[in-house]
């Protein structure tokens, strides 16, 4: 296969033994370039994930890698299943190539799969339990504070300001084709500060808790390992919960064009809520009870804003296969936001009963 990058040469920069057999693009992440490659030692085969960090998105790659090193070491110290960084030949946790790109390698975690679209309540439970447990295990991460790898990542009012600026510039002449979505965004702006206003405690959070960022056991369906650690940093636990509501309660694809299929399914919400609580081993404080139902709305709206902004800016941030994809993704998020909002009362009742 003709790959965009020379995976064999890059893998050669890491402390790995064996004959390089082949590599292929892997997964469906929107940010990094991910490959899976195989090494042979005699008749044994071992597989690895090779990733090029997107340095347009993560502008301080050293900070990202330092966070990942600390977080994976902490998890391993607690005997939790975690990503492992393969050291480069010079002992660092990454290799910086001649073009200035940052690469890292993790062992491929076998007998697991990452699911793009949730398929059952049991899956929502398992994924949410893994993310909840991840938060719990990182509660006592020793100082210093982790780096903010993307400053203001979930600062929704700033996301709204960025959208407004992009609409004003309309550099790609796309605003006219997104008139309804722009109006929708502006009309619902009041939700943006709902978590920031609540004075919640800072925690170590994942910040990208979507379904395909947790590996599930292919045989049992249980959560095995939380992955995609680039955005692990100080944050609010409710953003993580909200992003699970967004990605684990909707049985349609993130960019589904048939909006009739995009709905929050209540049994999936209930399963994820129970899974999250089982994972954190936590009880719900009154503040959390109050805000859990709205957190899903907020993060879904925020991601809708981000997709819309990127569509208007010419698809500079999220990977797309065709030019309208970010607008499709935005429409699906806004539809899901409305569906979650419509079910707020039922969510409140369930949360109160738990
Ligand atoms: P992105 O930031 O682009 O989303 P991810 O780190 O999430 O990149 O990786 C993309 C995909 O690669 C994941 O959704 C998952 O399918 C797969 N993946 C990543 N790391 C591993 C691993 N160590 N073992 C197995 N699969 C992995
Ligand atoms: C990106 O990297 P990936 O594909 O797991 C994005 C998230 C979005 C998500 C939407 C660093 O996640 O914030 O919620 O797409 N990651 C970054 O699918 O922006
Ligand atoms: Mg990912």
């Amino acid at each position: 296969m003709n790959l965009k990058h020379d995976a064999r040469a890059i893998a050669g920069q890491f402390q790995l033994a064996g004959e390089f057999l082949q590599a292929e693009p892997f997964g469906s992440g929107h940010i990094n370039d991910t490959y899976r490659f195989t090494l042979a030692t005699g008749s044994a085969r071992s597989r690895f994930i090779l990733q090029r960090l997107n340095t347009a998105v993560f502008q301080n790659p050293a900070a990202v890698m330092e966070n990942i090193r600390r977080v994976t070491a902490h998890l391993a110290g607690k005997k939790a299943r975690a990503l492992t960084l393969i050291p480069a030949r010079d002992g660092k946790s990454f290799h910086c190539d001649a073009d200035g790109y940052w690469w890292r390698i993790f062992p491929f975690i076998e007998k697991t799969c990452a699911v793009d679209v949730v398929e059952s309540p049991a899956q929502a439970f398992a994924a949410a339990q893994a993310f909840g447990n991840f938060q719990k295990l990182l509660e006592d991460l020793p100082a210093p504070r982790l780096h903010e790898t993307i400053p203001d990542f979930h600062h929704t009012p700033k996301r709204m300001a960025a959208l407004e600026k992009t609409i004003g510039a309309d550099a790609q002449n796309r605003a006219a084709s997104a008139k309804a979505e722009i109006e929708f965004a502006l009309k619902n702006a009041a939700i943006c500060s709902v978590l920031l206003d609540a004075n919640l405690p800072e925690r170590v959070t994942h910040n990208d808790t979507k379904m395909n960022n947790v590996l599930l056991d292919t045989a049992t369906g249980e959560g095995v390992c939380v992955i995609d650690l680039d955005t692990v940093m100080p944050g609010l636990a409710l953003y993580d919960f909200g992003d699970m509501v967004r990605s684990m309660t909707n049985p349609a694809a993130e960019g589904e064009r048939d909006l009739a299929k995009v709905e929050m399914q209540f049994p999936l919400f209930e399963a994820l809520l129970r899974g999250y609580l089982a994972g954190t081993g936590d009880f719900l404080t009154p503040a959390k009870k109050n805000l859990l139902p709205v957190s899903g709305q907020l993060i879904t709206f925020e991601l809708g804003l981000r997709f819309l902004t990127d569509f208007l800016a010419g698809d500079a941030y999220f990977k797309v296969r065709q030019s309208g994809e970010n607008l499709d993704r935005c429409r699906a998020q806004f539809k899901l936001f409305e569906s979650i909002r419509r079910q707020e009362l039922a969510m409140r009742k369930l949360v109160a009963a738990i």
Side-chain angles (χ1 to χ4, degrees):
M1 190 186 292
N2 220 349
L3 300 177
K4 204 165 83 182
H5 302 105
D6 187 350
R8 177 194 299 264
I10 300 154
Q13 298 298 322
F14 286 80
Q15 296 183 26
L16 287 169
E19 185 200 345
F20 186 97
L21 293 186
Q22 93 271 350
E24 67 265 336
F26 196 79
S28 43
H30 294 337
I31 304 293
N32 296 315
D33 290 321
T34 303
Y35 301 93
R36 183 173 66 179
F37 69 92
T38 307
L39 294 182
T41 313
S43 60
R45 301 281 177 272
S46 38
R47 301 198 287 184
F48 298 86
I49 287 285
L50 168 68
Q51 254 182 353
R52 185 178 75 143
L53 189 61
N54 183 332
T55 41
V57 167
F58 296 101
Q59 293 178 7
N60 185 351
V64 171
M65 295 313 295
E66 190 179 313
N67 280 2
I68 295 180
R69 251 192 311 108
R70 289 180 54 204
V71 164
T72 52
H74 189 72
L75 295 171
K78 293 188 170 190
K79 309 265 178 279
R81 193 86 187 264
L83 289 177
T84 321
L85 284 159
I86 302 285
R89 292 211 177 279
D90 59 7
K92 296 205 179 91
S93 57
F94 58 87
H95 165 68
C96 192
D97 71 17
D99 299 319
Y101 292 123
W102 287 56
W103 295 86
R104 72 266 173 114
I105 293 181
F106 306 102
F108 181 77
I109 302 185
E110 300 286 351
K111 301 193 177 98
T112 64
C113 61
V115 177
D116 287 334
V117 178
V118 64
E119 290 154 351
S120 66
Q123 236 175 31
F125 184 98
Q129 183 176 29
F131 280 123
N133 194 232
F134 180 85
Q135 276 184 357
K136 177 88 193 153
L137 291 166
L138 291 173
E139 250 177 357
D140 60 349
L141 183 77
R145 190 171 180 263
L146 289 176
H147 301 289
E148 287 186 46
T149 56
I150 302 181
D152 296 322
F153 190 55
H154 285 309
H155 193 297
T156 321
K158 288 192 181 170
R159 295 288 188 184
M160 177 58 92
L163 171 64
E164 284 173 334
K165 199 167 159 211
T166 310
I167 297 168
D170 196 17
Q172 305 287 322
N173 273 318
R174 288 182 170 185
S177 57
K179 197 165 169 285
E181 291 71 26
I182 291 172
E183 274 169 19
F184 185 92
L186 299 176
K187 200 174 83 195
N188 288 287
I191 194 174
C192 288
S193 57
V194 66
L195 289 188
L196 291 175
D197 290 347
N199 251 327
L200 297 161
E202 182 180 286
R203 308 273 298 262
V204 174
T205 49
H206 184 279
N207 294 299
D208 191 1
T209 53
K210 73 172 173 182
M211 194 68 210
N212 67 14
N213 284 333
V214 56
L215 300 175
L216 304 178
D217 188 305
T218 32
T220 65
E222 271 165 44
V224 172
C225 183
V226 167
I227 59 168
D228 203 345
L229 306 180
D230 300 327
T231 51
V232 178
M233 59 180 150
L236 303 182
L238 282 169
Y239 285 129
D240 279 2
F241 184 82
D243 211 16
M244 289 187 234
V245 177
R246 180 190 75 78
S247 83
M248 295 175 193
T249 68
N250 167 26
E254 188 171 70
E256 176 60 59
R257 300 181 70 169
D258 179 357
L259 295 181
K261 293 186 180 151
V262 179
E263 284 289 349
M264 184 188 103
Q265 305 273 344
F266 205 79
L268 291 169
F269 172 73
E270 175 160 2
L272 103 77
L273 174 61
R274 292 188 187 281
Y276 177 70
L277 293 176
T280 57
D282 228 352
F283 59 93
L284 289 171
T285 58
K288 249 192 176 170
K289 280 199 171 178
N290 211 18
L291 291 165
L292 275 179
V294 90
S295 66
Q297 284 175 49
L298 175 71
I299 213 82
T300 307
F301 183 68
E302 180 189 279
L303 188 59
L305 298 181
R306 294 174 61 198
F307 283 143
L308 180 55
T309 306
D310 200 32
F311 168 72
L312 297 174
D315 309 313
Y317 187 100
F318 296 104
K319 287 184 180 175
V320 289
R321 282 158 297 189
Q322 74 278 338
S323 74
E325 194 168 359
N326 274 318
L327 186 57
D328 291 337
R329 290 170 175 157
C330 160
R331 288 183 175 135
Q333 302 315 298
F334 284 171
K335 168 71 199 294
L336 181 61
F337 162 73
E338 288 184 303
S339 173
I340 301 172
R341 183 168 59 185
R342 216 177 312 113
Q343 299 181 67
E344 184 169 343
L345 189 61
M347 293 164 92
R348 285 196 179 285
K349 282 189 180 152
L350 176 68
V351 167
I354 278 180

